[in-house]
C-alpha cells in the first residue's frame, strides 16, 4: 500500500512540473506552434497558405472550370480564388480554371466543361474536387481514372442551378459547399512550388501588360492605391457579381507548348493541349515591376519552380495569383 501511495505522490509531482513547464512555454509564446512557427494574435498556432502566402489553415482544394466569353461575364465567385489559371481551348478562345482553398464563395460560375490539359495541371494538387459541366465522351475514362474527385451535375445534381436571366450555356452555377460536403474529402492545399516574400532585386517598372490569345486578350494594370494588378478582359474592366473588380497580387505569364490534343468538340474543332510539365520562360508581375524568369516542372505530380536569372526562387507577392498559359 505504501508503494502505491509513493507512486501516486511521484506522479502528482511530475504532473505539477509538466503543468508549470507548459504554462511557461505558453507565456513565452512557444506553445501550440505548427511547422511554420506562426501564431495568430490569440496565441493559437497558425499557418501560411501555400497558394497565396497569406495566413491561413490547410483546407480542401476545389477547382472549378469557369466560362469567360463575353456572354458569361461578369462571373461569380472568381474574386475568392487563390489561383486563377487561364488556358486556351477550341477556336483560340480561353477558359478559366479557378482554384479555391483559403476562401470559398457560396456560389461560382458560370461552370463549363473540362479539358484534357486540366488532368495534368491538377495532379500537383493531390486529389482535389473538380466542378465542371460536360466533357468530351472519349475523355471521360481518363477523367474518371485521374486522381481527383469529379463533381459534375450528373454526380451532384443538388449542387447546380441555372440563372434564367442569362442565356444557356452561360448560366450554370455550382454551390461550392454542397460539392465539398460530398465524400471522400478533397486533399488539403499542398506545396505546388510557389514562394512568397519581399520583392526580388532586378526587374523593371511595368504599369500595364496585355496578354493576347488567338481570340481575346487580358490586361493587367498596376494600381498603387490598391496595391494589386487590376484585371481587364477584352479591354473591359473584369468584375464579379459578388466581389467587385478582379485583381491579383502576382501575375505569371507562363510560356508553354500548346499543341493539338486527341480530342475535339461536337463541331469538330480540335481541342488544344497545354503542356504544363516541362520548362521554359515566364514573365512575372508583382508590385508594379516585371521579372523575366524561368519555370520548371519535372512531372505532373510535382509543382512548378520559378527562378530568377541568378538562379534564386522567384518570390511572389502575397495574395491571389493569376497564371496565364501563353503559347511560345
Amino acid at each position: 500500500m505504501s508503494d502505491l501511495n509513493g507512486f501516486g505522490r511521484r506522479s502528482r509531482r511530475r504532473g505539477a512540473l509538466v503543468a508549470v513547464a507548459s504554462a511557461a512555454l505558453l507565456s513565452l509564446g512557444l506553445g501550440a506552434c505548427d511547422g511554420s512557427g506562426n501564431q495568430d494574435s490569440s496565441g493559437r498556432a497558425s499557418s501560411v497558405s501555400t497558394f497565396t502566402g497569406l495566413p491561413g489553415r490547410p483546407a480542401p482544394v476545389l477547382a472549378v472550370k469557369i466560362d469567360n466569353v463575353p456572354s458569361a461575364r461578369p462571373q461569380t465567385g472568381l474574386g475568392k480564388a487563390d489561383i486563377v489559371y487561364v488556358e486556351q481551348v477550341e477556336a483560340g478562345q480561353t477558359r478559366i480554371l479557378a482554384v479555391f482553398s483559403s476562401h470559398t464563395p457560396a456560389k461560382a460560375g458560370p461552370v463549363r466543361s473540362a479539358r484534357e490539359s486540366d488532368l495534368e495541371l491538377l495532379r500537383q494538387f493531390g486529389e482535389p474536387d473538380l466542378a465542371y459541366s460536360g466533357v468530351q465522351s472519349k475523355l471521360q475514362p481518363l477523367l474518371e481514372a485521374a486522381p481527383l474527385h469529379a463533381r459534375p451535375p450528373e454526380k451532384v445534381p443538388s449542387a447546380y442551378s441555372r440563372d434564367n436571366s442569362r442565356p444557356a450555356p452561360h448560366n450554370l452555377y455550382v454551390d461550392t459547399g454542397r460539392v465539398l460536403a460530398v465524400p471522400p474529402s478533397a486533399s488539403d492545399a499542398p506545396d505546388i512550388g510557389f514562394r512568397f516574400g519581399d520583392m526580388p532585386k532586378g526587374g523593371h517598372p511595368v504599369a500595364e501588360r496585355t496578354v493576347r490569345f488567338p481570340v481575346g486578350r487580358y490586361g493587367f494594370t498596376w494600381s498603387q492605391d490598391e496595391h494589386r494588378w487590376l484585371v481587364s478582359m477584352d479591354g473591359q474592366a473584369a468584375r464579379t457579381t459578388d466581389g467587385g473588380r478582379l485583381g491579383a497580387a502576382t501575375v505569371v505569364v507562363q510560356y508553354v507548348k500548346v499543341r493539338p490534343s486527341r480530342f475535339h468538340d461536337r463541331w469538330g474543332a480540335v481541342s488544344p493541349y497545354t503542356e504544363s510539365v516541362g520548362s521554359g520562360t515566364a514573365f512575372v508581375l508583382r508590385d508594379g515591376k516585371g521579372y523575366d524568369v524561368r519555370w520548371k516542372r519535372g512531372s505532373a505530380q510535382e509543382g512548378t519552380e520559378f527562378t530568377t536569372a541568378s538562379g534564386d526562387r522567384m518570390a511572389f507577392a502575397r495574395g491571389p495569383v493569376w497564371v496565364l498559359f501563353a503559347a511560345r
Side-chain angles (χ1 to χ4, degrees):
M1 193 70 178
S2 60
D3 288 341
L4 290 174
N5 289 337
F7 176 78
R9 285 193 295 272
R10 288 193 296 272
S11 296
R12 287 192 293 272
R13 285 197 296 271
R14 284 196 295 269
L17 289 172
V18 169
V20 171
S22 298
L25 284 172
L26 287 171
S27 68
L28 291 171
L30 299 176
C33 283
D34 61 4
S36 68
N38 295 317
Q39 291 182 313
D40 60 25
S41 59
S42 67
R44 294 189 300 268
S46 65
S47 58
V48 173
S49 167
T50 56
F51 294 170
T52 66
L54 295 172
R57 299 180 185 280
V61 177
L62 168 64
V64 183
K65 286 307 295 283
I66 295 181
D67 199 354
N68 64 329
V69 298
S71 299
R73 304 169 193 161
Q75 293 96 342
T76 297
L78 192 54
K80 289 188 178 294
D82 289 339
I83 310 169
V84 175
Y85 290 103
V86 178
E87 54 189 359
Q88 188 174 322
V89 292
E90 297 80 21
Q93 297 188 42
T94 60
R95 192 157 292 170
I96 287 172
L97 178 66
V99 178
F100 302 94
S101 183
S102 302
H103 306 283
T104 307
K107 185 170 71 171
V111 179
R112 292 301 302 273
S113 54
R115 295 293 185 276
E116 184 184 9
S117 302
D118 300 328
L119 307 185
E120 180 177 274
L121 180 59
L122 288 172
R123 287 290 296 275
Q124 63 189 314
F125 294 98
E127 295 185 4
D129 282 346
L130 174 61
Y132 65 95
S133 174
V135 66
Q136 209 275 342
S137 60
K138 293 182 179 179
L139 178 59
Q140 185 68 40
L142 295 181
L143 194 152
E144 293 292 342
L148 55 80
H149 306 299
R151 310 295 196 205
E154 307 85 72
K155 292 189 175 183
V156 197
S158 64
Y160 290 85
S161 61
R162 290 196 180 273
D163 180 352
N164 292 327
S165 68
R166 292 189 173 209
H170 315 292
N171 65 347
L172 183 67
Y173 295 85
V174 62
D175 182 318
T176 61
R178 292 188 178 186
V179 166
L180 288 168
V182 177
S185 298
S187 301
D188 284 347
D191 181 352
I192 60 167
F194 292 177
R195 295 295 179 266
F196 301 87
D198 296 335
M199 190 160 55
K201 296 180 180 178
H204 58 273
V206 176
E208 58 183 331
R209 177 86 174 201
T210 299
V211 183
R212 298 182 182 277
F213 289 86
V215 176
R217 68 188 190 276
Y218 293 78
F220 300 91
T221 303
W222 175 246
S223 171
Q224 186 63 45
D225 291 339
E226 299 185 33
H227 211 74
R228 62 177 185 152
W229 297 92
L230 300 179
V231 182
S232 298
M233 296 181 186
D234 298 325
Q236 300 295 318
R239 302 183 182 277
T240 62
T241 63
D242 56 344
R245 184 76 183 267
L246 282 170
T250 302
V251 179
V252 181
V253 186
Q254 187 173 338
Y255 296 101
V256 299
K257 182 177 181 180
V258 180
R259 58 171 174 79
S261 75
R262 296 169 290 165
F263 306 99
H264 55 79
D265 64 16
R266 68 181 67 181
W267 296 282
V270 176
S271 299
Y273 187 97
T274 296
E275 295 186 1
S276 58
V277 171
S279 61
T281 60
F283 189 71
V284 175
L285 297 169
R286 62 157 295 175
D287 297 302
K289 298 184 74 174
Y291 295 82
D292 292 304
V293 304
R294 294 198 63 82
W295 68 270
K296 181 179 180 181
R297 186 180 179 203
S299 69
Q301 292 82 3
E302 299 177 62
T304 305
E305 292 187 3
F306 296 91
T307 54
T308 64
S310 62
D312 297 326
R313 295 290 287 274
M314 175 68 199
F316 292 175
R318 294 176 178 86
V321 179
W322 279 55
V323 181
L324 296 93
F325 291 120
R328 290 173 178 162

